[in-house]
Amino acid sequence: RFRGKGYQEGFTEGGHLGETEGRRYGLANGAKIGSEVSFYKGFAFTWKCLLQKNQDAQKNSKRLKVLNTLLEMVQRFPYEDPTYDKLQEDLEKMRAKFKQICSLLNVQPACQNATAAGMSF
């Protein structure tokens, strides 16, 4: 009887602690991912504005196309769906697109969390 009661109390307490720890972990990692995606959006939007003002339209057409692709990826990102099963896959695609843009623009990536926001176990 005591063992059963102890088990039930431990199970309940463990559930509460696990929920609290999971919420804290989710907030921290959600903030990292949000920061990374926001960085990509700001980066792409800024470069798009700069390139549109430039007179060399032929040279910038490919750059603008890739920037627009990244902006579309950011726009489609599921911010409100925490159960989205392809979250890491979409983040990796954004990271790859960002690296492609940096190569086309001949700039060094400056976001510190760009590669560190992935989950590791």
Side-chain angles (χ1 to χ4, degrees), residues 2 7 13 23 26 38-39 56 61 66-67 76 98 120-121:
F2 291 117
Y7 172 82
E13 182 67 24
R23 183 176 293 121
S38 297
F39 171 81
D56 194 3
S61 65
V66 177
L67 285 167
R76 288 190 311 250
F98 174 69
S120 63
F121 295 101

Side-chain angles (χ1 to χ4, degrees), residues 5-121:
K5 186 176 178 180
Y7 172 82
Q8 191 59 38
E9 288 175 3
F11 186 81
T12 303
E13 182 67 24
H16 292 302
L17 289 175
E19 188 176 311
T20 303
E21 184 179 340
R23 183 176 293 121
R24 198 173 324 129
Y25 182 79
L27 285 172
N29 284 314
K32 287 179 187 177
I33 291 171
S35 171
E36 181 180 356
V37 173
S38 297
F39 171 81
Y40 295 148
K41 183 178 182 178
F43 178 89
F45 186 73
T46 301
W47 273 101
K48 182 179 175 182
C49 290
L50 290 171
L51 292 175
Q52 286 176 338
K53 291 182 180 182
N54 195 340
Q55 300 300 323
D56 194 3
Q58 184 180 17
K59 186 177 181 181
N60 291 332
S61 65
K62 182 176 181 178
R63 294 173 179 169
L64 286 169
K65 184 178 178 182
V66 177
L67 285 167
N68 284 329
T69 303
L70 180 61
L71 286 170
E72 288 172 10
M73 292 169 85
V74 169
Q75 192 70 26
R76 288 190 311 250
F77 193 76
Y79 297 101
E80 300 295 325
D81 186 8
T83 61
Y84 182 62
D85 58 339
K86 294 185 179 181
L87 181 98
Q88 291 299 320
E89 184 179 318
D90 285 354
L91 275 174
E92 288 301 322
K93 287 178 183 178
M94 271 193 244
R95 290 175 183 141
K97 191 60 70 176
F98 174 69
K99 289 178 185 177
Q100 180 185 10
I101 291 169
C102 288
S103 176
L104 286 171
L105 296 172
N106 198 23
V107 296
Q108 293 294 321
C111 181
Q112 296 296 324
N113 293 335
T115 58
M119 283 199 232
S120 63
F121 295 101

